[in-house]
Amino acid sequence: MRWFEGSIPAAIAAAKERRCVFVVVITGSDDQSAQLMSSWETDSVCEAAQNCCVAIRVDAESETCVQFSQIYPVVCIPSSFFIGENGVPLEVIAGSVTEDELQRRILRVTQVNTNTLKLEERREQKKKAEEENELKKEVERRKTGKEMLDFKRQQEEEKTKRLLEERNREKAEERAARERVKQQIALDRADRAARHAQSQLEAETSRIAALQARAAEQELRRDAAQREKSAFARIQFRLPDGSSFTNQFLSETRLLEARQFAAQEVGNRYGQFSLATMYPRREFTAEDLQKSLLELELTPSASIVLLPQSRSAVVRSSASGGIWAALGSLLYPLLSVWRFISGFLFTSAPRAPAPPATQNTYGSGAAAEPKRDAVRKRVLEKKPEDFKKDGKIYRLRTQEDNEDDNNTWNGNSTQQM
């Protein structure tokens, strides 16, 4: 016997494709199962089932048998199920049968399956013929309905055409009346718009003239204020030891003259030095010395730092204070921390701005010394700041730091200046 090797769903698909009977033989390990299998393996049975059956053998203890029994109850073991194409069992053989009986059962099931297939074919043909008749009736019905609809549509179109012609005549009359009204309204609007535009133009012209006059007046005021502000430049010179002095120059004064003033003020304490600003960071060159303070954007006020060309000058200036200067340097970090904390805890009343100084006249000798001392005492800088020159960092100590650190060192510095 040629048994199907796949699963039950695959066997069912093969049976439907070949239009054969699907046979399921369930056997166990008893003698009846062995006798049934011997009957299925005979040549006559194999020949009878070869072209009309797709047979599969299922062990009674397998999971496949359990699943099959949920659809087709298995009453006893062994059993042979002959299932038609529509899934209905055509015959069930319970127990073992002889070879002749099995062959006879196969022929009978085959005949029943053939009759069933023929019946199904006739049923399908009848159903198809009925569907064709229904389709013809539907076509005729639709054709009749279409003719009726066409007739009604033709009548409606004629009626609509007459109504449309009448409506068009009414619309033409209404349109002509509306056009006459619109023309009159347009003329009225144009007249009002012209009058409104004229009044708006006059109002706009007056407003623009007033704005231009006000802008010209403000521009004159700004120019006057700018000229008054830019006529002088208040320059603050900050020294490496933290002190500073301030002088007021004409805005057309060259930076060279301001440097000469600073050189006279500090003497030879720092040797050769250059000038720079911290914000923005800029060191003035020899070309900048020939430019005016206005050209260098140092008006109306600016802060200039004196940068010594060598560190030895700063060291010499700092060493002149003796032991008090060394002591002040040691105590400076603690005093700086205290000032930083007290700045957040206490507030002080703003100082009154210093009165503008007159332009300094440069001179030499003992006559200029009292004036320079007065300038330095009047404009002492309070905020310490670092600056960098040639890769070296210098700390600017304020006059307030020096006074708090040691009054004696401040007196010595003032005498040397």
Side-chain angles (χ1 to χ4, degrees), residues 20-91:
C20 298
V21 178
F22 175 48
V23 180
V24 180
V25 180
I26 300 175
T27 61
S29 58
D30 54 351
D31 294 339
Q32 290 188 359
S33 298
Q35 292 177 2
L36 178 63
M37 289 305 301
S38 64
S39 299
W40 275 103
E41 295 295 340
T42 59
D43 294 338
S44 59
V45 173
C46 292
E47 183 178 357
Q50 182 176 2
N51 297 323
C52 63
C53 296
V54 174
I56 185 171
R57 181 180 177 183
V58 178
D59 188 2
E61 301 297 331
S62 64
E63 183 67 23
T64 304
C65 180
V66 175
Q67 296 175 357
F68 180 79
S69 63
Q70 294 177 357
I71 302 174
Y72 302 98
V74 179
V75 179
C76 65
I77 304 297
S79 298
S80 299
F81 289 82
F82 295 85
I83 301 173
E85 186 177 0
N86 56 2
V88 178
L90 301 178
E91 187 165 348

Side-chain angles (χ1 to χ4, degrees), residues 12-230:
I12 294 173
K16 288 184 178 181
E17 182 180 0
R18 294 170 54 186
R19 299 180 68 84
C20 298
V21 178
F22 175 48
V23 180
V24 180
V25 180
I26 300 175
T27 61
S29 58
D30 54 351
D31 294 339
Q32 290 188 359
S33 298
Q35 292 177 2
L36 178 63
M37 289 305 301
S38 64
S39 299
W40 275 103
E41 295 295 340
T42 59
D43 294 338
S44 59
V45 173
C46 292
E47 183 178 357
Q50 182 176 2
N51 297 323
C52 63
C53 296
V54 174
I56 185 171
R57 181 180 177 183
V58 178
D59 188 2
E61 301 297 331
S62 64
E63 183 67 23
T64 304
C65 180
V66 175
Q67 296 175 357
F68 180 79
S69 63
Q70 294 177 357
I71 302 174
Y72 302 98
V74 179
V75 179
C76 65
I77 304 297
S79 298
S80 299
F81 289 82
F82 295 85
I83 301 173
E85 186 177 0
N86 56 2
V88 178
L90 301 178
E91 187 165 348
V92 178
I93 301 175
S96 176
V97 294
T98 63
E99 175 184 351
D100 295 336
E101 180 65 18
L102 181 59
Q103 184 177 2
R104 186 177 62 81
R105 294 281 187 93
I106 291 174
L107 293 176
R108 186 173 64 185
V109 168
T110 303
Q111 185 64 35
V112 172
N113 185 54
T114 302
N115 295 336
T116 303
L117 292 177
K118 289 181 180 180
L119 181 62
E120 290 292 334
E121 290 178 357
R122 286 196 297 269
R123 188 180 293 112
E124 289 293 332
Q125 291 176 357
K126 182 178 179 181
K127 182 178 179 181
K128 186 176 180 180
E130 291 177 353
E131 290 178 352
E132 291 178 353
N133 291 332
E134 289 294 331
L135 181 60
K136 290 180 180 179
K137 291 180 180 179
E138 182 66 20
V139 170
E140 291 293 334
R141 185 183 64 79
R142 292 185 179 183
K143 183 178 179 181
T144 303
K146 184 176 179 299
E147 292 176 352
M148 294 179 63
L149 289 176
D150 292 340
F151 177 74
K152 290 182 179 180
R153 186 183 302 111
Q154 184 177 3
Q155 290 182 340
E156 291 293 334
E157 289 177 355
E158 293 177 356
K159 181 179 180 180
T160 303
K161 185 177 180 181
R162 292 192 300 269
L163 294 175
L164 184 60
E165 291 177 353
E166 183 178 356
R167 182 59 178 167
N168 289 337
R169 287 194 299 269
E170 294 176 355
K171 286 185 176 181
E173 296 175 357
E174 292 177 358
R175 191 181 302 112
R178 285 198 301 269
E179 288 296 329
R180 290 192 296 269
V181 174
K182 286 181 179 180
Q183 290 177 0
Q184 185 62 39
I185 293 174
L187 293 175
D188 296 341
R189 286 180 177 176
D191 183 48
R192 287 196 302 271
R195 292 196 301 269
H196 180 70
Q198 183 64 27
S199 61
Q200 288 285 74
L201 179 60
E202 293 175 356
E204 185 67 16
T205 303
S206 301
R207 188 180 65 84
I208 292 175
L211 291 176
Q212 290 177 348
R214 190 181 305 114
E217 183 180 357
Q218 293 177 355
E219 185 67 24
L220 291 176
R221 292 179 181 176
R222 284 196 298 269
D223 291 345
Q226 186 65 25
R227 286 195 300 270
E228 182 180 354
K229 184 183 296 184
S230 302

